[in-house]
Amino acid sequence: MDDVEREFVKLYAIEAKTFPEIERALGCDRKRVQDLFDSSKSERDDIAKLKALYSRKQYQQRVSFQKFLEYYNGLERVCFYCGITEAEIKQLSERRKIYTKRSKNRGRSLELERIEPNESYDNLENLRLACFWCNNAKSDEFTAEEFRPIANEIGDALRARLSGGQNPKAPNA
């Protein structure tokens, strides 16, 4: 993605500018703006998901979306607890090594987790990325330190699946 494409996504998806406003800001015609719109679907979808999360967790009471987005984009794409990466989760999904029935989306990417469960969601320093399994197992019951040994076992089990281990609950196992 080049600088113009990044600026388009910022103007359209983050700042909610109209096409005429974007044309003026970028100094280009409608066809170019439409092409940028068409080619940025994935990025726009990602930002829309983050905006929905931002709204659902009511971050806007204390944190701007821009600040939240910068913080989120700065997080390393790895589970804070077990160390599984987003790329490994994607591989698990592609290889059909995860079988959660919870949702079409959960278990397919990292989720925002509060390290200290009694802190509010708008305390960005308390937020980290966690895999679905660690996020659910830790819940709001355990501290990060209490949960660490459990997380290590979760990470080991997930990595074993990646290296050829079979999920005993898998269909046709």
Side-chain angles (χ1 to χ4, degrees):
M1 181 178 275
D2 67 24
D3 290 342
V4 173
E5 291 166 324
R6 270 191 284 284
E7 184 65 16
F8 170 81
V9 169
K10 177 183 158 219
L11 292 169
Y12 183 83
I14 298 171
E15 297 179 13
K17 300 290 185 188
T18 65
F19 273 26
E21 291 171 319
I22 295 169
E23 290 169 28
R24 284 190 296 278
L26 296 180
C28 59
D29 63 15
R30 176 62 56 103
K31 179 168 179 2
R32 175 69 171 134
V33 171
Q34 184 64 53
D35 290 344
L36 290 166
F37 178 85
D38 294 341
S39 67
S40 65
K41 181 175 180 358
S42 175
E43 292 83 6
R44 290 185 292 108
D45 287 350
D46 289 346
I47 290 172
K49 288 176 192 172
L50 280 175
K51 276 187 169 181
L53 174 69
Y54 173 81
S55 199
R56 189 172 63 251
K57 299 292 185 183
Q58 300 178 346
Y59 294 111
Q60 66 271 27
Q61 294 177 2
R62 295 189 197 159
V63 178
S64 72
F65 180 70
Q66 185 65 41
K67 184 175 179 181
F68 171 75
L69 181 64
E70 288 170 9
Y71 181 80
Y72 181 85
N73 286 338
L75 293 173
E76 185 179 7
R77 297 300 187 248
V78 61
C79 177
F80 179 73
Y81 301 106
C82 74
I84 195 163
T85 66
E86 204 161 60
E88 289 172 319
I89 293 170
K90 184 177 180 181
Q91 288 175 359
L92 284 166
S93 181
E94 289 169 352
R95 295 178 188 176
R96 298 177 176 236
K97 297 286 187 174
I98 53 175
Y99 303 96
T100 180
K101 295 177 185 169
R102 298 256 180 181
S103 160
K104 289 181 179 182
N105 298 325
R106 296 213 54 207
R108 307 294 190 272
S109 63
L110 296 169
E111 304 174 344
L112 276 175
E113 152 67 3
R114 293 177 296 163
I115 299 168
E116 294 299 326
N118 296 323
E119 291 283 324
S120 69
Y121 274 99
D122 59 6
N123 175 0
L124 296 181
E125 296 305 314
N126 190 46
L127 297 178
R128 294 296 183 277
L129 292 173
C131 69
F132 162 78
W133 303 277
C134 285
N135 195 9
N136 276 335
K138 181 183 171 282
S139 67
D140 61 356
E141 183 63 32
F142 300 105
T143 66
E145 290 309 308
E146 290 173 326
F147 187 69
R148 191 73 60 191
I150 300 164
N152 289 337
E153 294 296 323
I154 290 171
D156 289 347
L158 292 171
R159 279 185 280 284
R161 287 185 188 179
L162 271 177
S163 64
Q166 178 66 34
N167 177 351
K169 292 186 174 186
N172 303 321

